[in-house]
Amino acid sequence: MKKIILLVCVSFFMLESCSSNEDTPIVVPSATTAEAVLDGNSIKITWQAVTGAGITYNIYRNDDTVKINSTPLTEAKFTDVLTTTGAFTYTVTVNLSGQESPKGIASEKVVLEVPKTRTFEVYKYDASNVMTTEYKSFSTFTYDPIIINKLISVSGNYLIAGGAASTESNKDIYTYTGNLIMKLESFNNAGVVQSSTVYLYNDKNKMISLENTQNNNNIYKIVFDYNVDGTVLGTHYSGISGALEPRGNSSVYTVLNGNLIKEESFVVNVGNPIQKSTIEYSFDTKKNPFANVLGFSNYTLWWANQNNEISSISNNNTSSTIYSSRNEITYNLNGSVLINKFYRKNGTNPEELYSINTYTY
């Protein structure tokens, strides 16, 4: 009897040993490269899905050690709704049976920067070509605390040079419907509306008209028609409420890659030849300071430019003079405009520095 008990104990021990030797460690698949794309005030992150049962993922922003997803992700995608502006990269890890892989390869840097302040200075020259400041303004941009690229207002202070200097201030207030800017109202320092601009859009969210009403009830309006060749026709009207009439001028605009590259304007006066002027623009590949502001990409023409103008050439059929301009731009480490110096040249006259825009983000 004692011998039988001994054999049973030995057999049990041997079974345990065999079972332990056959266990294999869980191998967690490696994480892949993350891809990140800016979408309004959010960044959409995607990566190559890992096959296998029970696989989940975590997402890390920049070099943070704390994941940004509140629960493990079962799909190879995630949307990071930003609460602050800046530059962001993302990495992915793979989870399996309570174990987490090392971080995968980080995404390329994604930047969401919008102007916080802007200083604008305009210069003039006397007969001796001495340059002085003619006009200077300082603007502060205020955004929605939740939708951080939704512009609420722009407050400005202005110094008018020449003679007795005086200071003025105003405030522009933006009204949105969804992601579209529907109205822009400008107030003076007494809180009185000086002008109001109403914008209309088609079913593709392209602007089809803007109508600006001054506080003296004068109205200026442009109606935009989108041609099959990709150009945009702008027809200009003016007058008072209920009595708008064509101004006799129109424009044809050519847009490429989100930038206005050519503007042809025609003025028709009865009994006179049609006056035509043409401006051609070239651009860099970096983002315009307002490219990330909600609704600006739905504007038409100059306001919607996605990149920065670096030069222009203009002429008209009533003069042999060619006008040109160029911008000398300084960028920050994220590729956003810090300083934009605007130079212009009239025919064979010397080039002049006309204005400087300085931004903070």
Side-chain angles (χ1 to χ4, degrees), residues 58 75 79 133 146 153 163 212 239 260 274 278 323 343:
N58 290 329
E75 294 184 280
T79 298
T133 298
I146 304 300
S153 64
N212 175 263
L260 174 64
I274 296 176
T278 302
Y323 302 87
Y343 296 85

Short mmCIF file of all heavy atoms in Angstrom, two decimals, residues 58 75 79 133 146 153 163 212 239 260 274 278 323 343:
data_model
loop_
_atom_site.label_atom_id
_atom_site.label_comp_id
_atom_site.label_asym_id
_atom_site.label_seq_id
_atom_site.Cartn_x
_atom_site.Cartn_y
_atom_site.Cartn_z
N ASN A 58 -3.17 50.55 -28.77
CA ASN A 58 -3.10 51.80 -28.02
C ASN A 58 -2.42 52.86 -28.88
O ASN A 58 -1.59 52.54 -29.74
CB ASN A 58 -2.31 51.63 -26.72
CG ASN A 58 -3.05 50.77 -25.71
OD1 ASN A 58 -4.28 50.76 -25.67
ND2 ASN A 58 -2.30 50.04 -24.89
N GLU A 75 -10.16 48.53 -33.79
CA GLU A 75 -9.99 48.84 -35.21
C GLU A 75 -8.71 49.65 -35.40
O GLU A 75 -8.26 50.35 -34.49
CB GLU A 75 -11.18 49.63 -35.75
CG GLU A 75 -12.49 48.86 -35.76
CD GLU A 75 -13.61 49.66 -36.40
OE1 GLU A 75 -14.17 50.53 -35.72
OE2 GLU A 75 -13.88 49.43 -37.59
N THR A 79 -9.39 58.85 -33.93
CA THR A 79 -9.48 60.29 -34.16
C THR A 79 -9.12 61.02 -32.88
O THR A 79 -9.77 60.82 -31.84
CB THR A 79 -10.88 60.71 -34.62
OG1 THR A 79 -11.19 60.07 -35.86
CG2 THR A 79 -10.96 62.22 -34.82
N THR A 133 6.55 105.09 -41.61
CA THR A 133 5.35 104.29 -41.37
C THR A 133 4.11 105.14 -41.61
O THR A 133 3.97 106.23 -41.05
CB THR A 133 5.33 103.75 -39.93
OG1 THR A 133 6.46 102.90 -39.75
CG2 THR A 133 4.06 102.96 -39.66
N ILE A 146 -13.86 75.12 -27.53
CA ILE A 146 -14.04 73.70 -27.82
C ILE A 146 -13.53 73.37 -29.22
O ILE A 146 -12.71 72.47 -29.41
CB ILE A 146 -15.52 73.30 -27.68
CG1 ILE A 146 -16.04 73.66 -26.28
CG2 ILE A 146 -15.68 71.80 -27.94
CD1 ILE A 146 -15.30 72.98 -25.16
N SER A 153 -13.75 86.04 -33.14
CA SER A 153 -13.62 87.49 -33.37
C SER A 153 -12.17 87.87 -33.59
O SER A 153 -11.24 87.13 -33.24
CB SER A 153 -14.19 88.28 -32.19
OG SER A 153 -13.43 88.03 -31.02
N GLY A 163 0.43 113.65 -40.09
CA GLY A 163 -0.30 114.71 -39.37
C GLY A 163 -0.41 114.32 -37.91
O GLY A 163 0.48 113.72 -37.33
N ASN A 212 -21.75 92.81 -49.16
CA ASN A 212 -21.27 93.68 -48.11
C ASN A 212 -22.15 94.93 -48.03
O ASN A 212 -22.35 95.64 -49.03
CB ASN A 212 -19.82 94.08 -48.38
CG ASN A 212 -19.30 95.09 -47.38
OD1 ASN A 212 -19.30 96.30 -47.62
ND2 ASN A 212 -18.86 94.60 -46.24
N GLY A 239 -25.11 99.27 -55.23
CA GLY A 239 -26.34 100.04 -55.11
C GLY A 239 -26.79 100.10 -53.67
O GLY A 239 -25.97 100.05 -52.74
N LEU A 260 -5.49 80.93 -55.77
CA LEU A 260 -5.84 81.78 -56.90
C LEU A 260 -4.58 82.12 -57.67
O LEU A 260 -3.73 82.89 -57.19
CB LEU A 260 -6.51 83.06 -56.41
CG LEU A 260 -6.81 84.12 -57.47
CD1 LEU A 260 -7.82 83.58 -58.48
CD2 LEU A 260 -7.33 85.40 -56.83
N ILE A 274 -13.22 97.91 -74.02
CA ILE A 274 -13.22 97.14 -72.78
C ILE A 274 -11.83 97.20 -72.15
O ILE A 274 -10.82 96.96 -72.81
CB ILE A 274 -13.62 95.68 -73.03
CG1 ILE A 274 -15.06 95.61 -73.55
CG2 ILE A 274 -13.46 94.85 -71.77
CD1 ILE A 274 -15.50 94.21 -73.91
N THR A 278 -4.85 91.87 -65.93
CA THR A 278 -4.53 90.50 -65.57
C THR A 278 -3.48 90.49 -64.47
O THR A 278 -2.49 91.23 -64.52
CB THR A 278 -3.99 89.72 -66.78
OG1 THR A 278 -4.95 89.75 -67.83
CG2 THR A 278 -3.69 88.27 -66.41
N TYR A 323 3.33 95.92 -63.40
CA TYR A 323 3.46 95.99 -61.96
C TYR A 323 3.81 94.60 -61.42
O TYR A 323 3.26 93.59 -61.87
CB TYR A 323 2.16 96.47 -61.32
CG TYR A 323 1.70 97.82 -61.81
CD1 TYR A 323 0.91 97.94 -62.94
CD2 TYR A 323 2.09 98.98 -61.14
CE1 TYR A 323 0.49 99.18 -63.41
CE2 TYR A 323 1.68 100.23 -61.60
CZ TYR A 323 0.87 100.32 -62.73
OH TYR A 323 0.48 101.56 -63.18
N TYR A 343 6.94 93.44 -51.04
CA TYR A 343 7.61 94.44 -51.87
C TYR A 343 6.82 94.61 -53.16
O TYR A 343 6.28 93.66 -53.70
CB TYR A 343 9.03 93.99 -52.22
CG TYR A 343 9.96 93.86 -51.03
CD1 TYR A 343 10.00 92.69 -50.28
CD2 TYR A 343 10.82 94.90 -50.69
CE1 TYR A 343 10.86 92.56 -49.20
CE2 TYR A 343 11.69 94.78 -49.61
CZ TYR A 343 11.70 93.61 -48.86
OH TYR A 343 12.56 93.50 -47.80
#
